[in-house]
Amino acid sequence: MGSPKKSACAAADLTDDLIVEILSRLPDKSICRFKCVSWHWYGLITNPENRKKIPHTLSGFFYPSNNRWTPEDPARIIPDFVGIVGDEEPFSDPSLTFLASYRPIVPKICCNGLLFCLCWKVSPRDESDFVVCNPATEKWVVVPDSVDESIALKYHFVFDPAISPHFQVFEITDADENYGYIGDVNIYSSETGAWSCRGNGWGDELQFVSRGGVFLNGMLHLLTYDLKILAVDTKGEKWRTIPLLEPMTVSCFCRGPLAFIGQSQGRLYYINMRSADTSKLSVWILEDHDSGEWIFRYNISNGYFGEKNLMFERDYALIAIHPESNLVFFVCRCKDLLISYDMDRGKVCVTNLKEHLYNRPFLPYLPYVPFLKDSLEA
């Protein structure tokens, strides 16, 4: 093993372009540490052009806000943002003022730095578009309307620049227009600029839980009221049903599965309230995605909210898992707080929220990781 002095000399011989190339292949945690190597390395990492090539981590959460209403437009809804990594936001304005021809703007899904929004036109005001935008670069495109005239149960948006520069939008239709059973799945690809009907490879009489979806390993994952996880790839060619273990199947008649699905460090997470002890959540990880092997990993107590007899999805909600660490984020209806919990260290951090949650449904908080590439493939 070489001495620290020789290692320092070797690093000093590297060109700036080579250093940036090496940094672009490292995880965000390592990038943060390398900022402290020297003022020169700090300048390289924070340089606006170099930042486009270097990985970024979770910066905060977009959410639909009505705090900025005016007397002329009291129903105005626009995006807002709560940051978790300091005061500097990776965009000029969270309200997306570059979408000047639209108001209100309702953020629906955020995936790897791109935001999928329902945008109502300024004129005529009864018309709307689905818009995909990059808040960091202010580039945006309109998603054309689907040609399927069936009622849409839900739209899902997926994007992973590590797989493709193109995004996809999933339109899940209602099979019978009465009971909310999953019908055909239509997929829009920004590569082709067209919608395609891919049918339904999961089976009949399935109802998915409306909150959330996870894009992992090139597949969209959805939780159903039948306590199964459905998955489909971006071309609608591969369809999977991932069963859950019996301890994972805790549900409520009114709200369905008392559970949350997310992804971190390349694995699917499933977090559910325990049936025997409602003050605790169980954390499961899909250890082997191909075989469907689940392993139990953590218990989480809700005691850090400072209240008793709290019910998951009634009094508090889990909104995200950090993509690079075992850190989970909660909001609590009784307090205007964003709470993060480190499952490895048992450490709690608290951030004040701008919105008051008391006596209102939980807002959709959309985890945002900056994507600084200039282009947005339409």
Side-chain angles (χ1 to χ4, degrees):
M1 182 179 295
S3 68
K5 186 176 293 186
K6 288 183 179 180
S7 299
C9 292
D13 291 336
L14 298 176
T15 65
D16 288 352
D17 288 343
L18 187 54
I19 292 173
V20 172
E21 176 65 23
I22 293 171
L23 293 175
S24 69
R25 302 172 186 271
L26 298 177
D28 180 77
K29 284 185 178 179
S30 298
I31 303 287
C32 292
R33 289 197 295 267
F34 282 127
K35 285 183 181 179
C36 303
V37 169
S38 68
W39 283 111
H40 179 65
W41 279 47
Y42 180 86
L44 286 177
I45 293 172
T46 56
N47 178 280
E49 287 302 314
N50 293 339
R51 288 182 68 211
K52 298 176 183 179
K53 307 172 186 177
I54 295 174
H56 295 270
T57 190
L58 183 66
S59 295
F61 301 89
F62 275 99
Y63 62 93
S65 170
N66 57 8
N67 268 357
R68 301 186 182 186
W69 68 276
T70 63
E72 295 77 20
D73 191 3
R76 186 184 186 197
I77 299 175
I78 56 177
D80 208 338
F81 187 80
V82 54
I84 61 171
V85 291
D87 296 331
E88 183 180 355
E89 294 178 345
F91 39 76
S92 59
D93 188 343
S95 65
L96 310 182
T97 52
F98 58 88
L99 298 176
S101 58
Y102 296 101
R103 281 298 184 271
I105 299 171
V106 184
K108 293 289 188 178
I109 300 168
C110 194
C111 190
N112 289 310
L114 299 188
L115 201 57
F116 178 71
C117 303
L118 174 60
C119 302
W120 293 90
K121 296 179 181 180
V122 173
S123 180
R125 298 188 66 174
D126 60 345
E127 294 184 5
S128 63
D129 291 321
F130 281 118
V131 171
V132 175
C133 68
N134 186 334
T137 64
E138 301 189 354
K139 304 292 185 181
W140 59 281
V141 295
V142 174
V143 177
D145 293 336
S146 169
V147 295
D148 193 330
E149 296 183 356
S150 303
I151 295 175
L153 289 174
K154 186 74 173 178
Y155 289 89
H156 284 277
F157 168 78
V158 300
F159 170 68
D160 187 349
I163 298 176
S164 168
H166 303 281
F167 64 81
Q168 289 79 32
V169 178
F170 291 77
E171 179 188 56
I172 302 177
T173 64
D174 192 336
D176 55 17
E177 301 184 4
N178 286 309
Y179 295 101
Y181 292 128
I182 296 173
D184 288 339
V185 176
N186 303 313
I187 303 175
Y188 172 81
S189 169
S190 65
E191 182 176 12
T192 63
W195 288 89
S196 60
C197 180
R198 309 310 299 174
N200 180 349
W202 293 313
D204 300 328
E205 297 188 358
L206 291 169
Q207 295 175 302
F208 67 87
V209 177
S210 60
R211 54 183 182 273
V214 176
F215 188 51
L216 178 66
N217 295 333
M219 303 187 80
L220 172 65
H221 297 73
L222 303 169
L223 179 63
T224 72
Y225 281 97
D226 305 78
L227 295 165
K228 301 174 183 176
I229 293 178
L230 308 180
V232 60
D233 73 342
T234 56
K235 297 184 181 296
E237 297 173 348
K238 298 178 182 179
W239 303 76
R240 284 194 63 189
T241 299
I242 303 173
L244 304 177
L245 302 177
E246 193 278 331
M248 304 167 71
T249 57
V250 180
S251 63
C252 169
F253 178 78
C254 298
R255 291 180 293 277
L258 296 175
F260 171 90
I261 59 172
Q263 71 89 15
S264 178
Q265 304 159 84
R267 292 185 293 182
L268 187 68
Y269 278 60
Y270 182 93
I271 302 178
N272 67 283
M273 190 182 77
R274 295 177 61 177
S275 59
D277 186 353
T278 59
S279 68
K280 292 183 179 180
L281 302 178
S282 296
V283 181
W284 305 81
I285 297 175
L286 191 61
E287 186 70 14
D288 189 321
H289 193 272
D290 293 332
S291 67
E293 178 188 359
W294 292 98
I295 62 169
F296 172 77
R297 181 58 59 90
Y298 302 98
N299 272 326
I300 302 176
S301 172
N302 62 26
Y304 46 78
F305 288 117
E307 303 284 340
K308 294 182 179 180
N309 302 318
L310 297 182
M311 177 71 73
F312 183 55
E313 293 294 344
R314 184 194 69 186
D315 304 303
Y316 70 100
L318 199 163
I319 60 171
I321 304 174
H322 198 288
E324 296 164 0
S325 63
N326 292 317
L327 193 69
V328 291
F329 297 86
F330 297 89
V331 289
C332 183
R333 191 184 300 276
C334 59
K335 297 181 180 180
D336 301 323
L337 301 174
L338 171 67
I339 298 175
S340 65
Y341 177 73
D342 188 322
M343 294 185 286
D344 291 325
R345 299 176 178 85
K347 183 180 178 181
V348 176
C349 292
V350 176
T351 302
N352 289 321
L353 292 173
K354 304 173 187 177
E355 295 282 352
H356 298 283
L357 298 177
Y358 190 70
N359 282 340
R360 62 178 295 182
F362 290 113
L363 294 171
Y365 286 89
L366 312 176
Y368 173 71
V369 177
F371 178 61
L372 300 179
K373 293 289 181 67
D374 287 329
S375 63
L376 179 60
E377 298 286 349

